Amino acid sequence: MDEYLAAALKEAQDGASEGGIPIGSVIVHDGRIIGRGHNRRVQQGSAVLHGEMDALENAGRQPASVYRESILYTTLSPCPMCTGAILLYGIPKVVVGENQTFMGEEQLLRERGVEVVVVQDTACIELMRRFMAERPELWNEDIGV
């Protein structure tokens, strides 16, 4: 696992330890993490703070050129909301830890020219499988079921 996916996984683990949904993300620009976050819907009582959205929020306001030169790493395939944010800000590449437990909008990203790399990391898969087995109601709430 590379250092950036490892940082996203650490975010996911932090979210789990806080009682939240274990999905983490980092945004990398020019070899440096400029934003990191994890799903904080439970912790913040938020409707929108998925891991990718939290990482974008924590990156702060950036010029469009920064987003267009960045890579987003996420432990889980991006949902429709997070996919929309990726497309809105023109992030050209997304590295996905895994898509076995949940398949997001990877096809839409690819259709819109985003490079999507799926790693199928065993630690990411196991973290989500365990969470989904232990907290199915919370998982279903998170994905709008």
Side-chain angles (χ1 to χ4, degrees), residues 1-13 24-36 71-75 95 97 119 121 124:
M1 176 183 309
D2 77 18
E3 66 181 293
Y4 304 120
L5 187 56
L9 181 58
K10 170 74 167 70
E11 286 292 326
Q13 292 163 336
S25 184
V26 298
I27 301 167
V28 177
H29 178 260
D30 202 20
R32 183 176 65 86
I33 295 175
I34 62 169
R36 61 180 68 229
I71 302 170
L72 185 140
Y73 290 76
T74 181
T75 58
V95 177
V119 178
D121 179 79
C124 292

Side-chain angles (χ1 to χ4, degrees), residues 61-138:
R61 190 171 159 199
Q62 299 291 331
S65 61
V66 170
Y67 296 118
R68 287 194 303 266
E69 298 170 350
S70 293
I71 302 170
L72 185 140
Y73 290 76
T74 181
T75 58
L76 187 64
S77 187
C79 76
M81 175 179 65
C82 297
T83 294
I86 291 163
L87 294 174
L88 177 67
Y89 290 106
I91 296 171
K93 182 175 180 178
V94 177
V95 177
V96 176
E98 66 102 352
N99 65 6
Q100 291 183 11
T101 62
F102 175 78
M103 174 59 79
E105 298 297 327
E106 294 173 22
Q107 187 59 36
L108 176 59
L109 288 169
R110 288 183 180 105
E111 287 170 2
R112 297 286 294 274
V114 176
E115 180 184 357
V116 179
V117 177
V118 181
V119 178
Q120 300 302 16
D121 179 79
T122 54
C124 292
I125 295 166
E126 182 53 37
L127 183 62
M128 279 309 296
R129 281 191 177 147
R130 187 171 51 249
F131 170 75
M132 292 166 81
E134 293 172 359
R135 302 291 309 273
E137 75 293 342
L138 188 53

